[in-house]
Amino acid sequence: TERYNAREAEPRWQAEWEKRKLFETAATSEKPPYYVLEMFPYPSGRIHMGHVRNYAMGDVVARYKRAKGFDVLHPMGWDAFGLPAENAAMERKVHPKAWTYENIATMRSQLKSIGLSLDWSREIATCDPDYYAQQQALFLDLLEAGLAYRRKSKVNWDPVDNTVLANEQVVDGRGWRSGALVEQRELTQWFLKITDFAEDLLGALDDLPRWPEKVRTMQKNWIGRSEGLLVRWALANPADATEIQVYTTRPDTLFGASFLAVAADHPIAAARAQSNPALQAFIEECRRAGTSAAALETAEKMGYDTGLKVRHPFDPAIEVPVYVANFVLMDYGTGAIFGCPAHDQRDYDFASKYGLPIVPVVAPQGADAQALVATHAYDGDGVMINSRFLDGMTTDAAFEEVARRLESATLGNAAVAERKVNWRLRDWGISRQRYWGCPIPVIHCESCGPQPAPRDSLPVLLPDDVSFDQPGNPLDRHPTWRDVACPACGGPARRETDTMDTFVDSSWYFARFTAPRAKTPTEKTVAGRWLPVDQYIGGVEHAILHLLYSRFFTRAMKTTGHVGVDEPFAGLFTQGMVVHETYKDAAGEWIAPAEIAITEADGVRRAAKIGSGEPIEIGAIEKMSKSKKNVVDPNDILETYGADTARWFMLSDSPPERDVIWTEAGVEGASRFVQRVWRLANEAPMAPVEPEAFGDAATALRRISHGALARVGEDIERLRFNRCVAAANELANALGQSLANAPSPESDLAFAQREAAEHLVRIVSPFMPHLAEEAWAALGHETLIAESAWPKADPALLATDTVTLPVQVNGKKRDEIVVSREADSASIEKIVRELAAVTSAIGDKPIRKIIVVPQRIVNVVA
Ligand code: ANZ
Ligand code: ZN
């Protein structure tokens, strides 16, 4: 047979699928629905390998589920608003809209050449007026429901460019273009009330079993519920105030308090600074350095003594000083803390710097408490010491005792303390002083205040005639767009010129896909059929914000009557990155993989520049990035090998949640496998009739082929794509060996061989759909494989085919694997080495030994 020609076959099959509208999801169907979605891309210009991996995974699931009889929804769109389009406008004088839609066109055709089973008739771009019209309608709904409101909040202000900067435009406290020190300015901005749902967003995480544990933990930490105490401390020298209230989660450590500290923006700090220029200067310095949690985390602890003293809530004779400190946040708790240096590292650093006492109040039974805190804070468990009536108690008991006593003690005519649940989660500020985003549909009137834009005036369209030759938001200096009549009084008014955070755009697109052309945000019954998304797939970099905002939006859309569910994504999978070796020349410049040739001699790999032969240093394996030039362009791979090879390699080497190392050798291997499947399909005997009985050789082959079919189905359901690849390899080997025996066409073995070839093509079809169609036709089928059902494995052939082996790591069970009964130790070892449960259990320790007890158990010794 001739070699399989991917470059010729792939576009041909893509055209065929498109002609038959195979992947367009009909409006109604008797079949059960299944919604699989990959995070939609930002149209940056070109598809990269990370996209290919992400979409290949989703496509395997989509094609498999379709073959299993589901009505599959698998749409694609563009997260199309955002800053890069405006940067392109400034740098290259191209309009953000033109830039964005050109990129979309390029990337759409790239995605099409990968052969994804997408319903392109549902394509949306968030910058399409049809899309953002509905987003504006949603905003008005949230406004009416009290879930959107306005308040003052800080922004980064570049005093040279006279413009607001996004956080990513502030580099080391300076404007990225001007280099000027960035100031904090207060602007009135729009907020969405995500905090209304804090309790539910936290609690419901426990009802998402098909989410990775680590993502749920990250969300929990972000929402950050803590239980503590608000404690009022009386000022010993009352001046501008009589007390300071602090929030603490460790009231048990109260006798270890050696100072109070307030945030730079705390009213007490401002009051004291009025008569103290040095304190004022310190406060300003704190503000300049930024007061975000991230900025404070890394900054050196600094403080300024206000001269004030407060009295200990249990003993007025104990007085402690009050500082203004840069590590206290104004918008958390009360913006004031008591410092307990012995048991909090930040307080420890602070106390060491300013010579404040470090008194241990918690220590494990019998420990030398002073030694415990000699070099750093102790935050472990123990019993109370140096704490009067608390001594000997556990920290939990001490917490309760302090709370009980202070709740019933009084200061003035109120309790000294009250219990308080605190949340780290803040309301979501969505105002951006940017052009390329969804306009906030509000009109400001001097006499009536902010008015919602009338519904029948939506969408508030972005004007096209804008220029980027001056800093700032072009909408601010566009009078014919900006100046309008007040919808309430008809007097002169101005449009809101801020646009929405682009995270809003991506917080509901999955719902819009269910009825992408509706004249309302969703069609509730249609949304009800599809939501929640059955399987969502994307990068772990979105584990917090995007997913949390989407969870909030789904709840808000339920409140406002657009969907019937709380949770957007029933199943979530976060895939690993595509990584590649890096290369450097003698001058230390990064060199692209395409410019070098690798040779291997005596087990040593060497790199040299193609052409000059100059030796090149082989560096670490890292995430593909432009700056390190270790990027492989999907287009080059598609040109050389075709989409199927790229897709197969992407999913073959490592478990999908881990990084995959892109190597030329790996791609070559995948390419050889493509040809192999093609040969096997062509060499298989043509459709013999099913014999009455099967001999040993035929039965052995059927066990393997039915076993592989069943395993692959199960593994796709669990997104263990690399195991599917292993099963396909095994089957191809078995079939190849069997075919070498060349039986007569009538024999039972011929039947088993043909069946094995069909199963092999079926197994690879979700991964390599073009090759599968071509091979399916070569096997004599007149229908498309994409249109035919996934066959059922014969249970009689499965019963003895496989065994389930528990996998232990150092004697503790971590996972189990299903392998064929005949699998040898070497292949079992290989599977075990790649198990995520095993790799995470051993961490970075080396594997010393893998003991395989055939058909019983596997033990990994690390
Ligand atoms: C005394 C103490 C002793 C504390 C100790 C901790 C350990 P979470 O769990 O995040 O709620 N804190 C309170 N408000 C703060 C603010 N605005 N800026 C910076 N830190 C603040 O953390 C609560 C703890 O963080 C509180 O408990 C307080 O320090 C600090 F051994 O009080 B603790
Ligand atoms: Zn008005």
Side-chain angles (χ1 to χ4, degrees), residues 221 224-229 246-254 256-257 261-263 296 326-347 361-362 377-379 422-424 426:
N221 292 338
R225 180 182 196 277
S226 63
E227 285 176 16
L229 218 55
V246 308
Y247 175 69
T248 176
T249 48
R250 295 292 306 274
D252 50 307
T253 66
L254 207 54
V262 301
L296 297 183
N326 68 343
F327 66 93
V328 182
L329 301 165
M330 189 55 217
D331 61 359
Y332 188 75
T334 61
I337 63 155
F338 81 77
C340 177
H343 304 292
D344 182 294
Q345 193 57 43
R346 291 171 306 178
D347 300 347
V361 291
V362 180
Y378 174 72
D379 62 5
N422 232 326
W423 301 86
R424 217 184 79 94
R426 294 284 100 107

Side-chain angles (χ1 to χ4, degrees), residues 40 79 126 131 502-510 546 550:
F40 68 163
D79 189 10
T126 55
Y131 184 82
T502 57
F503 270 115
V504 177
D505 313 344
S506 54
S507 291
W508 71 286
Y509 78 108
F510 47 86
H546 164 58
S550 299

Side-chain angles (χ1 to χ4, degrees), residues 770-845:
H770 314 85
L771 167 70
E773 293 292 4
E774 198 76 0
W776 196 242
L779 281 164
H781 292 279
E782 274 158 18
T783 50
L784 266 58
I785 196 166
E787 283 179 305
S788 58
W790 192 268
K792 255 187 121 48
D794 181 349
L797 291 163
L798 299 181
T800 54
D801 183 42
T802 58
V803 282
T804 304
L805 302 179
V807 178
Q808 298 188 335
V809 176
N810 294 337
K812 188 158 183 261
K813 186 178 166 199
R814 296 291 182 177
D815 203 350
E816 49 187 44
I817 56 171
V818 181
V819 293
S820 82
R821 200 167 276 278
E822 293 82 35
D824 56 12
S825 301
S827 54
I828 292 175
E829 262 198 56
K830 187 166 183 302
I831 296 169
V832 166
R833 275 180 197 280
E834 286 174 359
L835 285 181
V838 170
T839 50
S840 73
I842 59 176
D844 41 31
K845 280 173 270 163

